[in-house]
C-alpha cells in the first residue's frame, strides 16, 4: 500500500490554459502519448469524433471549431501520477473553466510563438493569479515562423507582471529551427526537420563545447551563445519558491505538433510543479496529509452517456486516502453517501476508482444529489471556498414549441442548470422560465442539447431583463416588502432563493438606493 505522504508527493494535478488554436489539444495528445495513455497521436481527436457521433450537441463544437466540454485525463510518467484537467478555451465557457481551475495545483500556459499572449490566455491567467496557481509556460509552434524570443519573454513579463525564467531556449525558429538548448541540464536537443515527430535524446553539451558548432552550424551556435549570455544576465535565476508562489514562470519552447520539447515540458512539470496543496476552506484550510478524507465537487456533467441518464460529479480529493465503498458525509444535506462506484478517467476509458489520493479527480455517478461546490467529508462540516457562481449576463425567456411537454422541459432545464451551464429562474408571476448564461453561445448549446438529449424543441426569446441579482437581508420582512413592490421583476432560482431581475443598470441602482437594507449580490456562493 502506498503511504499517504508518498502518494501526495507523486501527484501533479494541472490544467492547460490557452487561447483557442494555440495548440492545447495537440499538446494534450502528446502528453498523453508520453504517459502511455494513448497509443497513437490523434486519439484525443478520435475520441472527440466518437463523442460527436454519439451526441448531436457536439456538432456545435464541430461547426464552430471550438471545444466545449472539459474533461479529466490521468496518466503516469516517470514514477509520477499526472491528472490533467482540460478546460474549454472559448470565452463563452469561462465559468466552467474558472471552476476547473479551482481543482488544480498548477497550470501550463500554452502560447503560440507567433502570437504571444492573446485575450483568452490573459483572462485565464488572471483567474490563476487570483488563486496563486503556479504557471509553467510552453511557447508552442517554434517550427513555424515566430516572433523574436526576447520579445515573447518581454511580453509575458510586462503584460502578466511575472518574472520569466527560460528553462529551454530555441536554436533558430521556423525553417531554421535547429533545436532547443536546455539551460537546466546543459543539453542540446536537436530538431530533425525531415523526420516527422522523431523524439531526440538530449546531448550533454556545455555551451562552450566546440562540437556545438558542428551540430547546429557555426552561425546558430554563435547566436545561441550570445543569446544565452544575455538571458542569464537579464532573467532572474530560477527560484522554486517564487514559481510556486505564482511570481515566476519557467518557460519551455517546443512544437506540440512535431512532439518536440514536449517530453522536456512533462519532465519539467514533474520536477517543478507542486504536489497537492492545502485547500482553502471554512472554518479552516484542509491539508492534503490529514488522514480523514475530504474533497469537493467542481463540475457536474449530465448525460455523458445518453443511454443512461446519469450525472457525473467531478470530485477533487483534498485530503486522506479514499477507498471505494467508503461512506462520506454530504455536508450540504447532512446525509451520508456511499461511494460504491466512483470512476477515474483515463484517456479513453473510465475505470473503477479503488483508491484515490489528494489531487486525484474521481467521477461520482449520481442522480442529482451532488452539486457544484458540495463538500464530502468523513463527518466534519467543511465548506471549500472560492468556487464561484457568476451572475448571468444574458437572460432569455424559454419558448417551448409543444406546450404539452412543459414538464419534460423543466427537467431538462434543471439538469443543465445543475451542471452549471446556465442559471434557471422562475418569475413569481408568469409561467415561462428565464434562463441566464454568461455568454451567448451557451444558448445554442442548451437548445441543441435539449433537442438531442431530451427530444424537445425549444427556443429562446428576448426577455425584458438585463441582469439578475440575488437578494439578501437580515430581516426577511425587508425581502418581503421589496418583493411585493417589485412583483413583476421577482423570480426564484432553482433553490427557491429570491432573485431580482433588473431591466437595466438604472433600475438596479434605483432599487439599491431605495432599499438600503437589502444586499444585491452578483454571485451566489454555493449554498
Ligand atoms: P487548441 O486546442 O488550442 O485550439 O489548438 P489545436 O491543438 O487544435 O491546434 C490548433 C492548430 O495549430 C492545429 O492546426 C494544429 O495542428 C496546429 N498546431 C498545434 N501545435 C503546433 C505546432 O507545434 N506547430 C505547428 N506548425 N502547428 C501546430 P489546424 O490546421 O487548425 O488543425 P488540424 O487540421 O491540424 O487538425
Amino acid at each position: 500500500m502506498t503511504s499517504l505522504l508518498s502518494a501526495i508527493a507523486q501527484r501533479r494535478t494541472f490544467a492547460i490554459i490557452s487561447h483557442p488554436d494555440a495548440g492545447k489539444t495537440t499538446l494534450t495528445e502528446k502528453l498523453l502519448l508520453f504517459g502511455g495513455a494513448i497509443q497513437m497521436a490523434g486519439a484525443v481527436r478520435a475520441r472527440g469524433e466518437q463523442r460527436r457521433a454519439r451526441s448531436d450537441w457536439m456538432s456545435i463544437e464541430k461547426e464552430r471549431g471550438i471545444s466545449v466540454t472539459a474533461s479529466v485525463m490521468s496518466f503516469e510518467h516517470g514514477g509520477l501520477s499526472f491528472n490533467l484537467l482540460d478546460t474549454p478555451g472559448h470565452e463563452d465557457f469561462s465559468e466552467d473553466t474558472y471552476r476547473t481551475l479551482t481543482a488544480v495545483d498548477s497550470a501550463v500556459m500554452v502560447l503560440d510563438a507567433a502570437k504571444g499572449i492573446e485575450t483568452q490566455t490573459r483572462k485565464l491567467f488572471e483567474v490563476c493569479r487570483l488563486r496563486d496557481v503556479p504557471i509553467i509556460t510552453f511557447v508552442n509552434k517554434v517550427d513555424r515562423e515566430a516572433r523574436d524570443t526576447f520579445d515573447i519573454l518581454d511580453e509575458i513579463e510586462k503584460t502578466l507582471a511575472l518574472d520569466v525564467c527560460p528553462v529551454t531556449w530555441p536554436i533558430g525558429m521556423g525553417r531554421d529551427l535547429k533545436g532547443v538548448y536546455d539551460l537546466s541540464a546543459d543539453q542540446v536537443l536537436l530538431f530533425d526537420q525531415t523526420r516527422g515527430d522523431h523524439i531526440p535524446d538530449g546531448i550533454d553539451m556545455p555551451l562552450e563545447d566546440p562540437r556545438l558548432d558542428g551540430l547546429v552550424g557555426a552561425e546558430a551556435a554563435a547566436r545561441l551563445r550570445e543569446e544565452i549570455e544575455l538571458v542569464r544576465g537579464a532573467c532572474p535565476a530560477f527560484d522554486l519558491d517564487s514559481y510556486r508562489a505564482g511570481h515566476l514562470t519557467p518557460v519551455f519552447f517546443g512544437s506540440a505538433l512535431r512532439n518536440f520539447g514536449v517530453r522536456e515540458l512533462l519532465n519539467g512539470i514533474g520536477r517543478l510543479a507542486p504536489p497537492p496543496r492545502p485547500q482553502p476552506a471554512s472554518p479552516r484550510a484542509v491539508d492534503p496529509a490529514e488522514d480523514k478524507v475530504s474533497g469537493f465537487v467542481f463540475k457536474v456533467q449530465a448525460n455523458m452517456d445518453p443511454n443512461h441518464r446519469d450525472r457525473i460529479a467531478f470530485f477533487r480529493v483534498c485530503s486522506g486516502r479514499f477507498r471505494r465503498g467508503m461512506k462520506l458525509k454530504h455536508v450540504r444535506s447532512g446525509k451520508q453517501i456511499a461511494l460504491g462506484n466512483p470512476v477515474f478517467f483515463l484517456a479513453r476509458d473510465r475505470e473503477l476508482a479503488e483508491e484515490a489520493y489528494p489531487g486525484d479527480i474521481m467521477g461520482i455517478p449520481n442522480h442529482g444529489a451532488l452539486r457544484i461546490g458540495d463538500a464530502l467529508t468523513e463527518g466534519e462540516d467543511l465548506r471549500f471556498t472560492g468556487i464561484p457562481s457568476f451572475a448571468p449576463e444574458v437572460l432569455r425567456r424559454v419558448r417551448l414549441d409543444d406546450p404539452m411537454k412543459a414538464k419534460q422541459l423543466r427537467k431538462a432545464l434543471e439538469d443543465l442548470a445543475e451542471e452549471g451551464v446556465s442559471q434557471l429562474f422562475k418569475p413569481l408571476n408568469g409561467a415561462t422560465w428565464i434562463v441566464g448564461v454568461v455568454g451567448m453561445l451557451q444558448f445554442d448549446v442548451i437548445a441543441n442539447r435539449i433537442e438531442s438529449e431530451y427530444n424537445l424543441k425549444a427556443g429562446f426569446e428576448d426577455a425584458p431583463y438585463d441582469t439578475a441579482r440575488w437578494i439578501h437581508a437580515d430581516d426577511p420582512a425587508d425581502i418581503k416588502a421589496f418583493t411585493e413592490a417589485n412583483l413583476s421583476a421577482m423570480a426564484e432560482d432553482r433553490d427557491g432563493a429570491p432573485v431580482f431581475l433588473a431591466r437595466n443598470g438604472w433600475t438596479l441602482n434605483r432599487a439599491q438606493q431605495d432599499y438600503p437594507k437589502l444586499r444585491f449580490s452578483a454571485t451566489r456562493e454555493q449554498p
Side-chain angles (χ1 to χ4, degrees):
M1 193 183 82
T2 329
S3 83
L4 179 58
L5 285 180
S6 67
I8 293 170
Q10 282 163 5
R11 294 285 182 296
R12 300 290 180 275
T13 300
F14 71 107
I16 303 182
I17 59 172
S18 72
H19 192 82
D21 253 9
K24 189 175 56 148
T25 311
T26 315
L27 180 64
T28 303
E29 208 169 272
K30 300 298 156 79
L31 288 173
L32 294 177
L33 208 56
F34 279 106
I38 50 174
Q39 302 311 319
M40 49 170 194
V44 173
R45 252 176 253 270
R47 180 168 156 267
E49 294 295 331
Q50 281 166 12
R51 280 198 312 224
R52 276 177 204 125
R54 282 217 315 253
S55 153
D56 265 346
W57 72 275
M58 294 282 183
S59 56
I60 295 181
E61 279 195 331
K62 209 151 91 182
E63 274 164 29
R64 309 207 182 197
I66 53 162
S67 154
V68 211
T69 44
S71 50
V72 180
M73 283 163 273
S74 302
F75 60 96
E76 314 230 314
H77 178 72
L80 298 174
S81 294
F82 293 87
N83 297 309
L84 169 53
L85 277 58
D86 190 19
T87 53
H90 196 281
E91 59 183 321
D92 276 1
F93 297 91
S94 47
E95 191 169 345
D96 198 11
T97 306
Y98 291 159
R99 295 209 199 93
T100 295
L101 291 174
T102 61
V104 299
D105 301 299
S106 72
V108 171
M109 174 169 77
V110 181
L111 304 181
D112 181 328
K115 299 193 173 143
I117 309 266
E118 297 175 84
T119 45
Q120 190 67 2
T121 346
R122 210 195 143 112
K123 280 197 203 164
L124 292 167
F125 169 80
E126 297 299 345
V127 181
C128 290
R129 166 153 287 167
L130 279 177
R131 304 178 57 84
D132 292 327
V133 173
I135 293 183
I136 290 180
T137 302
F138 184 70
V139 180
N140 189 30
K141 306 196 187 181
V142 294
D143 58 317
R144 275 215 201 134
E145 296 316 312
R147 281 173 40 190
D148 178 70
T149 314
F150 284 103
D151 240 31
I152 298 171
L153 295 183
D154 212 42
E155 184 177 358
I156 302 172
E157 191 164 11
K158 295 231 167 75
T159 57
L160 305 183
L162 263 186
D163 285 340
V164 289
C165 180
V167 180
T168 63
W169 189 264
I171 312 175
M173 283 268 193
R175 247 169 299 145
D176 297 324
L177 180 69
K178 300 284 193 298
V180 294
Y181 189 78
D182 188 331
L183 287 104
S184 63
D186 275 343
Q187 283 191 336
V188 180
L189 210 61
L190 290 177
F191 180 66
D192 190 335
Q193 295 273 7
T194 59
R195 287 176 63 193
D197 52 10
H198 164 71
I199 303 163
D201 284 325
I203 307 166
D204 289 330
M205 177 133 334
L207 268 180
E208 51 289 355
D209 193 321
R211 287 180 305 158
L212 187 63
D213 299 69
L215 284 177
V216 302
E219 199 181 315
R223 181 152 174 218
L224 176 70
R225 290 187 183 107
E226 201 178 296
E227 288 179 343
I228 301 258
E229 196 183 321
L230 263 171
V231 168
R232 288 197 162 131
C235 296
F238 180 73
D239 178 57
L240 190 66
D241 292 338
S242 178
Y243 154 65
R244 288 193 174 173
H247 304 317
L248 174 150
T249 180
V251 185
F252 292 76
F253 290 83
S255 163
L257 187 67
R258 305 287 300 268
N259 206 343
F260 184 72
V262 176
R263 181 184 49 198
E264 287 61 34
L265 172 69
L266 183 55
N267 291 340
I269 301 170
R271 201 168 65 235
L272 309 173
R277 313 195 293 170
Q279 204 71 35
S282 151
R284 60 178 193 90
V286 172
D287 192 273
E290 293 173 18
D291 22 301
K292 292 241 166 35
V293 173
S294 71
F296 66 93
V297 174
F298 63 93
K299 180 183 168 67
V300 172
Q301 204 166 328
N303 305 337
M304 275 174 89
D305 180 348
N307 296 322
H308 306 105
R309 276 280 148 82
D310 68 342
R311 212 166 293 183
I312 299 273
F314 290 77
F315 177 80
R316 171 176 163 127
V317 181
C318 295
S319 64
R321 183 169 74 95
F322 170 84
R323 278 137 295 150
R324 187 160 80 85
M326 273 180 107
K327 283 205 173 99
L328 293 179
K329 178 176 178 181
H330 179 230
V331 174
R332 185 166 51 83
S333 67
K335 293 191 180 130
Q336 294 284 321
I337 296 191
L339 299 174
N341 51 354
V343 290
F344 280 142
F345 300 90
L346 306 175
R348 272 186 300 190
D349 288 312
R350 301 182 193 179
E351 160 181 289
L352 271 182
E354 297 295 343
E355 278 192 335
Y357 293 93
D360 283 342
I361 311 295
M362 299 192 298
I364 306 177
N366 70 103
H367 296 296
L370 293 178
R371 289 200 191 159
I372 293 164
D374 282 358
L376 299 180
T377 68
E378 284 195 51
E380 193 178 345
D381 283 334
L382 285 171
R383 196 168 63 82
F384 291 90
T385 49
I387 304 156
S389 174
F390 293 88
E393 288 170 18
V394 203
L395 297 161
R396 289 277 184 278
R397 207 176 251 152
V398 189
R399 187 197 66 235
L400 181 64
D401 291 358
D402 177 357
M404 302 301 286
K405 300 243 169 93
K407 223 170 123 192
Q408 288 93 320
L409 178 69
R410 177 185 169 152
K411 167 89 176 73
L413 293 171
E414 278 176 348
D415 281 354
L416 295 173
E418 216 135 278
E419 280 187 36
V421 173
S422 53
Q423 310 260 9
L424 188 59
F425 304 109
K426 175 90 174 73
L428 293 190
N429 67 0
T432 46
W433 292 87
I434 302 285
V435 169
V437 296
V438 177
M440 278 303 279
L441 190 60
Q442 273 155 305
F443 285 117
D444 292 353
V445 173
I446 295 170
N448 223 298
R449 287 188 62 180
I450 289 178
E451 192 174 341
S452 68
E453 292 169 23
Y454 298 86
N455 211 9
L456 295 171
K457 275 212 179 296
F460 294 96
E461 292 169 345
D462 280 352
Y465 315 112
D466 218 28
T467 187
R469 290 289 182 276
W470 280 268
I471 54 174
H472 314 268
D474 296 331
D475 183 354
D478 291 326
I479 295 185
K480 192 159 174 264
F482 180 78
T483 304
E484 279 165 7
N486 294 278
L487 204 56
S488 65
M490 288 302 295
E492 286 180 344
D493 73 3
R494 65 201 164 88
D495 295 314
V499 175
F500 175 52
L501 302 171
R503 277 180 191 280
N504 49 45
W506 188 85
T507 37
L508 179 60
N509 271 338
R510 187 67 206 262
Q512 284 168 325
Q513 278 168 18
D514 290 352
Y515 294 85
K517 286 189 188 151
L518 294 185
R519 294 185 301 278
F520 294 78
S521 67
T523 58
R524 177 168 181 212
E525 274 255 345
Q526 307 298 326

